[in-house]
Structures are given as C-alpha cells and as structure tokens.
C-alpha cells in the first residue's frame, strides 16, 4: 500500500499572516508530496516494508535493508515529519491555537523550563542555531521535556524519542516570506501552534 499525501487539515491561507498561503501550497503540495513519491518508489519492491507505517520504519531503521535505508531515512522521515507538522499548527486566532499553552503540557513546561517565555526562548535559540536544513523538536526524555534539533529529515523516532512539537527550519518553510531571517519566522510561528494537538502528542510521549 503506497503512502498518500494527507490533505492539509485547514485552508492554505489559514495560517496567514504568519505563514503565507503560497508557502503552504509549495510546502504541502510539492515538498511533502515529493518525499512521499520518493519513498513509495524506493519501497515498490519491498511490499513487506510498505505495509508498515512510515513511523514504524523510522523507529527501527537498522531493520530496513541497506539499499533503501537512506531513502527511508530522508524521504520517509520527510513524510512523517510533515504529517506531524501540519497537525501541530492551526488557523490563526482559533481556540487552542497560539498564545500560551494549556493543560498538561503547560504544567510540564512550567516544571521543566520555569515559564513559557523561557521555554520559547530555549526552543527558538536552539532551533535558530541548527546549521543548514533541519528541525527543532520538543521531546520527553527520562521524564523531562527537552529541546533538540535534527539535521535534514531525521526523525526523533529514530533516536527512540517521540516528537511532541516540531518546527521545520528548512528554507522552503519560510524563505518566501522571511528570506534569511529564520529567527523572525521562529518568533512568528508560535502564533499558529496548536496546543490541543501538542497535548495529544504529549500524552502519547508519556505512554
Ligand atoms: Mn518542509
């Protein structure tokens, strides 16, 4: 069963003015689709692998045969990361989107970072420093929230970590609107973070 591009869970313009509709069209319809097309092509002769979820493949990359491992890591990673990413954002101004977090994740952020502003600062500074293309992530490790980055499309799942929140800092995610100003994109992105989804993913991370 080939992987398919999940529809964007909101309108392409829903994240305006923080993320523009043109970026969303290119990012979702072209970039995400390309990762899916590439991983499907690589797995065409591996129906046993294609029958698994892409997240399961990423959790155990060593079990993926060497001839397709890099494609799964890069393009399967791209599919997994972007699927999470679209759901981690929501329409500007809607309930549970932007502003400070609520629920269990808010309590855990207060516990592990002191307050929300300190957490945001840590996330933005860590992610701004990721050299070249990659992602910034919030994960739970040994019961504590931690901000990490990965290069390219590497998934935290491959390190045994479940991504609770993640931001894409490939230039394709922000260059049309923000050009070289990655910190401005990072700062604006908090306006579209969907805390309802973050709380759901936090519950999964806790297991
Ligand atoms: Mn991307």
């Amino acid at each position: 069963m080939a992987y398919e591009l999940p529809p964007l869970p909101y309108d392409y313009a829903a994240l305006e003015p923080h993320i523009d509709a043109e970026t969303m069209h290119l990012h979702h319809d072209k970039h995400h689709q390309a990762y899916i097309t590439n991983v499907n092509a690589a797995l065409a002769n591996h129906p046993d692998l294609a029958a698994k979820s892409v997240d399961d493949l990423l959790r155990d990359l060593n079990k993926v045969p060497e001839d397709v491992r890099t494609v799964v890591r890069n393009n399967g990673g791209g599919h997994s990361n972007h699927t999470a990413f679209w759901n981690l954002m929501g329409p500007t101004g809607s309930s549970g989107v932007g502003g400070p977090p609520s629920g269990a994740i808010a309590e855990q952020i207060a516990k592990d970072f002191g307050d929300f502003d300190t957490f945001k600062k840590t996330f933005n500074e860590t992610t701004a420093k990721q050299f070249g293309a990659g992602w910034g992530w919030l994960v739970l490790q040994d019961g504590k929230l931690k901000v990490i980055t990965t290069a390219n499309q590497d998934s935290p799942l491959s390190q045994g970590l479940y991504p609770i929140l993640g931001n894409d800092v490939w230039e394709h995610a922000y260059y049309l609107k923000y050009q070289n100003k990655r910190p401005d994109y990072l700062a604006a992105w908090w306006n579209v973070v969907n805390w309802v989804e973050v709380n759901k993913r936090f519950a999964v991370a806790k297991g």
Side-chain angles (χ1 to χ4, degrees):
M1 182 63 187
Y3 301 125
E4 283 176 18
L5 182 67
L8 204 60
Y10 35 76
D11 189 83
Y12 289 90
L15 310 182
E16 295 264 14
H18 312 291
I19 302 182
D20 58 290
E22 191 184 3
T23 294
M24 290 303 289
H25 270 289
L26 290 165
H27 200 175
H28 176 269
D29 302 357
K30 306 296 180 188
H31 290 278
H32 189 173
Q33 180 62 62
Y35 299 124
I36 294 170
T37 303
N38 292 338
V39 73
N40 283 341
L43 297 185
N45 295 322
H46 293 274
D48 52 321
L49 299 179
K52 295 186 179 182
S53 77
V54 77
D55 285 5
D56 280 347
L57 298 181
L58 293 165
R59 279 190 187 97
D60 209 348
L61 275 175
N62 287 331
K63 278 202 187 137
V64 175
E66 235 179 310
D67 63 318
V68 293
R69 192 178 299 154
T70 300
V71 178
V72 168
R73 178 177 173 175
N74 292 336
N75 292 275
H79 179 28
S80 172
N81 293 341
H82 287 84
T83 301
F85 185 54
W86 309 134
N87 287 300
L88 281 164
M89 299 185 290
T92 304
S94 62
S95 171
V97 171
S102 57
I105 194 67
E107 288 168 31
Q108 193 75 34
I109 285 171
K111 192 171 159 227
D112 293 338
F113 293 94
D115 56 52
F116 180 51
D117 284 341
T118 305
F119 162 62
K120 274 204 298 194
K121 192 166 180 272
T122 303
F123 190 98
N124 288 359
E125 287 180 358
T126 304
T127 306
K129 277 186 258 177
Q130 164 62 31
F131 184 73
W135 290 74
W137 303 101
L138 178 67
V139 296
L140 191 68
Q141 191 169 38
D142 303 324
K144 225 181 151 202
L145 292 173
K146 195 177 164 189
V147 175
I148 64 166
T149 61
T150 60
N152 306 312
Q153 293 295 351
D154 286 356
S155 167
L157 294 171
S158 304
Q159 302 176 37
L161 299 169
Y162 186 78
I164 297 167
L165 175 63
N167 194 2
D168 184 348
V169 292
W170 282 56
E171 286 187 342
H172 69 221
Y174 63 86
Y175 207 86
L176 285 182
K177 185 175 172 74
Y178 295 95
Q179 294 85 44
N180 60 313
K181 298 182 284 289
R182 184 188 284 185
D184 291 2
Y185 159 71
L186 280 162
W189 173 74
W190 295 98
N191 291 300
V192 294
V193 168
N194 180 351
W195 293 107
V196 178
E197 179 70 11
V198 177
N199 268 300
K200 277 190 209 162
R201 296 185 69 95
F202 179 47
V204 175
K206 282 193 286 186

